[in-house]
Amino acid sequence: MTSLCRLMCGAAVVLSAAVAPAAQAAWEPTRPVEIIVPAGPGGGADQMARVVQGIVTKHQLMKQSMVVINKAGGAGGEGFLDVKASRGNPHKLVITLSNLFTTPLGTGIPFNWKDLTPVAMLALDEFVLWVNADTPYKTAGDYISAIKSAPPGQFKMGGTGSKQEDQIITVALEKATGLKFTYIPFRGGGEVAVQLVGKHVDSTVNNPIEAVAQWRANSVRPLCVFDSKPLDYKDKVTAEHAWSDIPTCKSQGLDIEYLMLRGFFMPPGVTKEQTDYYVDLFKKVRETPEWKDLMKNGAFNTTFMTGADYAKWVETEEKRHQSLMKDAGFLATQ
């Protein structure tokens, strides 16, 4: 071997070693990814999880498949404890709603959101006061007046679960009006909407996505939205009305605001590289027309957060829910 060859070959080996780490592929799933839904089928979290699953599959955003699994037992505690126990498993996600806070606070199960790894907030969900379309109530004021003239507890409010967001809003309504509802819990928002259409309850505070099909079919009527401002979406949902036509509850004399997290977490002990993979995946999901249709059809607030901002927001919401549940008498320690 000549001196020139030895020099060039040695340089090639050094160069190869230098670029090898950069050429290594970034982390990605090596088996199917589970999305755990800590709620029943048909509700807002379940619908969003299945839309994400469909988008990832249709646009081939991930080599592995996604599987949606409902684990609603114990007000969603079953799902949260499953993910908490899956330390270091990067092939499992949980989609969250307010029971991220209400379930541990209300049941005392050994779980806290800090047991998980925050990934991303994909949106915030609204709440609307709904009645059956056959009723004469056109405004929240009409409905409240009817309740005031009836015996206490005669009017039934349907909602998802007990001591969760729907019942928290119901208690807030009672305190704001001095009235009393009979609260009836169901397994998920889909079932709640069916019960209202069937006139088994008098009202609900379902999310828009959970009742949009029934509104479009003129089976239910929205009276007000629990937000500080009307919804942004101006395309007609029914022949006559858009989401933006629904007045705020505050403008109807009910000073109550409540929005709910729609975000993702992973088990504890996963790496930053693994978390970053899903952050990037969700950014791609949000750019698809299917996602934008979901946001419009469900009248979502499209706020997106990751990292420290997301964790700070969740921490603030936990404190707010602790205060709300304490006021409602829902804390397990009360």
Side-chain angles (χ1 to χ4, degrees):
M1 182 182 293
T2 66
S3 298
L4 179 59
C5 178
R6 283 195 298 269
L7 180 61
M8 293 181 66
C9 292
V13 171
V14 172
L15 180 60
S16 176
V19 301
Q24 291 178 358
W27 183 88
E28 60 181 290
T30 57
R31 62 177 187 268
V33 173
E34 295 180 356
I35 298 180
I36 303 299
V37 181
D46 180 67
Q47 291 188 52
M48 181 172 284
R50 295 182 189 280
V51 167
V52 169
Q53 176 194 41
I55 289 172
V56 170
T57 301
K58 177 179 178 180
H59 295 278
Q60 299 180 334
L61 300 182
M62 190 170 69
K63 294 176 183 176
Q64 298 293 327
S65 61
M66 273 188 163
V67 181
V68 177
I69 302 173
N70 295 88
K71 293 196 173 187
E78 175 192 11
F80 292 126
L81 291 175
D82 177 350
V83 181
K84 175 184 175 180
S86 301
R87 172 171 287 275
N89 181 358
H91 298 90
K92 185 170 289 192
L93 298 162
V94 60
I95 186 168
T96 53
L97 51 154
S98 289
N99 64 355
L100 177 70
F101 315 113
T102 59
T103 293
L105 288 170
T107 66
I109 65 167
F111 168 76
N112 181 274
W113 71 269
K114 293 176 183 176
D115 295 328
L116 307 180
T117 302
V119 179
M121 172 197 291
L122 267 65
L124 292 171
D125 211 345
E126 306 280 355
F127 284 81
V128 173
L129 178 61
W130 302 90
V131 293
N132 189 289
D134 290 340
T135 65
Y137 319 123
K138 305 300 183 191
T139 68
D142 293 342
Y143 185 52
I144 296 303
S145 295
I147 302 172
K148 286 182 176 179
S149 63
Q154 177 175 313
F155 277 74
K156 296 185 285 292
M157 178 74 82
T160 299
S162 298
K163 299 183 179 180
Q164 297 182 49
E165 56 276 357
D166 290 8
Q167 193 171 9
I168 288 173
I169 296 173
T170 301
V171 171
L173 276 169
E174 291 176 334
K175 291 190 173 185
T177 60
L179 302 175
K180 180 62 180 176
F181 290 92
T182 295
Y183 181 80
I184 302 178
F186 298 98
R187 290 174 296 180
E191 184 178 353
V192 171
V194 170
Q195 295 297 317
L196 182 59
V197 171
K199 302 180 182 179
H200 303 296
V201 295
D202 299 293
S203 58
T204 71
V205 288
N206 252 353
N207 304 124
I209 195 65
E210 295 171 333
V212 63
Q214 290 80 7
W215 187 28
R216 191 173 284 121
N218 294 314
S219 297
V220 300
R221 178 184 301 124
L223 298 182
C224 64
V225 59
F226 294 95
D227 201 347
S228 60
K229 58 183 179 59
L231 303 174
D232 292 332
Y233 301 93
K234 301 184 184 303
D235 290 349
K236 290 287 189 286
V237 177
T238 69
E240 298 179 0
H241 298 293
W243 290 117
S244 58
D245 294 325
I246 304 173
T248 65
C249 295
K250 189 171 185 176
S251 72
Q252 302 278 295
L254 301 172
D255 192 8
I256 304 166
E257 295 178 21
Y258 191 94
L259 282 85
M260 183 168 66
L261 172 65
R262 297 295 187 193
F264 281 88
F265 286 73
M266 291 175 69
V270 296
T271 68
K272 183 180 184 301
E273 186 182 28
Q274 291 163 343
T275 305
D276 288 347
Y277 171 86
Y278 291 106
V279 170
D280 184 61
L281 178 69
F282 290 133
K283 287 179 179 178
K284 293 174 182 175
V285 166
R286 283 168 47 84
E287 293 303 314
T288 64
E290 292 85 1
W291 180 261
K292 292 175 182 178
D293 284 345
L294 174 68
M295 294 294 98
K296 180 175 69 174
N297 291 335
F300 286 93
N301 176 316
T302 59
T303 300
F304 181 74
M305 286 186 192
T306 62
D309 289 341
Y310 181 33
K312 183 178 180 181
W313 186 93
V314 174
E315 185 172 19
T316 300
E317 278 297 288
E318 180 186 35
K319 293 176 182 176
R320 184 170 78 98
H321 278 82
Q322 187 164 23
S323 177
L324 288 170
M325 293 187 69
K326 182 179 180 180
D327 289 345
F330 289 167
L331 291 178
T333 55
Q334 285 180 294

